[in-house]
Amino acid sequence: MDARTLSNGTLWLSPPTVHDIDTITACCREPSIGEWTTMPVPYERADAEKFVFDIVTPGWADRAPTWALRPAEHGPVLGMIGLGPLYLPRRDRDTAEIGFWLSPEARGRGLMTQAVDLVCRAAFDLTGFAFERLEWRAIIGNHASAAVARSSGFHYEGRLRGGGVQRGVRRDLWVASRLHTDPAGPADGWPPGV
């Protein structure tokens, strides 16, 4: 699939490019991003280069798109959102995992919820990616990510004991999903405290 830009008129999602490498590096050095992701810590410019050239570019050809969140069509990177295979190699071609991060200065304005909405519409579009199920996973304790997933229509499914590895340490994860038949908007059934 060719790379595409998504927008709702106030937020633009477009593939990150070589011109974004320095901004991505600066954002990913923020401790709160490394705390909840599997990206390298410390994060170096070479990591951002590898991300753009080895993950973003080939990902579009394998239904694993990545977008940078921007405040304007050609604005600076505020965060990142993408779809990827749940397992490598991809065993379920109709399911993708959604992942995202947002720089601290862009938080609290509903931008990531808007981005998730745009990506879900593109993911479920039969003329686009045509996924049937999206899965969200987060390290237990990442309440900000859980709030976005809940408000974006993802249904809580439980806890995966030791379900992820973060820099060599096995971590418990929360998991939720959204099916192509699920409506957008807040989902019920999330336990208190998640």
Side-chain angles (χ1 to χ4, degrees):
M1 170 162 287
D2 292 331
R4 65 168 75 163
T5 297
L6 307 174
S7 179
N8 61 8
T10 57
L11 181 68
W12 281 259
L13 305 181
S14 61
T17 70
V18 65
H19 303 293
D20 299 314
I21 287 174
D22 289 333
T23 304
I24 293 168
T25 303
C27 289
C28 292
R29 287 181 174 164
E30 162 59 40
S32 65
I33 293 174
E35 179 181 3
W36 301 114
T37 67
T38 58
M39 66 180 58
V41 172
Y43 196 88
E44 304 296 338
R45 189 175 199 283
D47 298 314
E49 290 170 348
K50 182 174 178 53
F51 171 69
V52 169
F53 295 120
D54 296 349
I55 295 173
V56 173
T57 303
W60 282 88
D62 193 32
R63 291 173 71 214
T66 302
W67 293 271
L69 282 72
R70 303 176 192 277
E73 187 174 3
H74 301 291
V77 172
L78 301 175
M80 210 63 60
I81 187 168
L83 300 172
L86 202 50
Y87 306 104
L88 292 173
R90 182 173 271 168
R91 294 186 299 224
D92 180 352
R93 301 287 303 168
D94 296 324
T95 299
E97 182 179 3
I98 191 167
F100 46 82
W101 59 260
L102 193 61
S103 60
E105 61 274 4
R107 295 175 188 163
R109 297 185 283 170
L111 296 176
M112 190 53 74
T113 300
Q114 292 177 53
V116 170
D117 180 59
L118 288 166
V119 169
C120 285
R121 280 192 264 154
F124 295 137
D125 184 346
L126 294 176
T127 64
F129 297 104
F131 287 113
E132 293 180 13
R133 173 184 162 92
L134 296 181
E135 192 166 298
W136 164 89
R137 294 174 179 216
I139 294 169
I140 288 183
N142 190 345
H143 294 282
S145 185
V148 170
R150 182 175 47 253
S151 66
S152 300
F154 283 76
H155 294 262
Y156 182 79
E157 294 181 338
R159 175 184 187 145
L160 299 173
R161 295 180 315 122
V165 177
Q166 181 192 45
R167 292 181 287 284
V169 177
R170 192 154 287 282
R171 305 285 303 268
D172 292 352
L173 305 176
W174 286 322
V175 63
S177 71
R178 183 169 163 191
L179 303 179
H180 69 99
T181 53
D182 291 337
D188 295 328
W190 283 70
V194 176

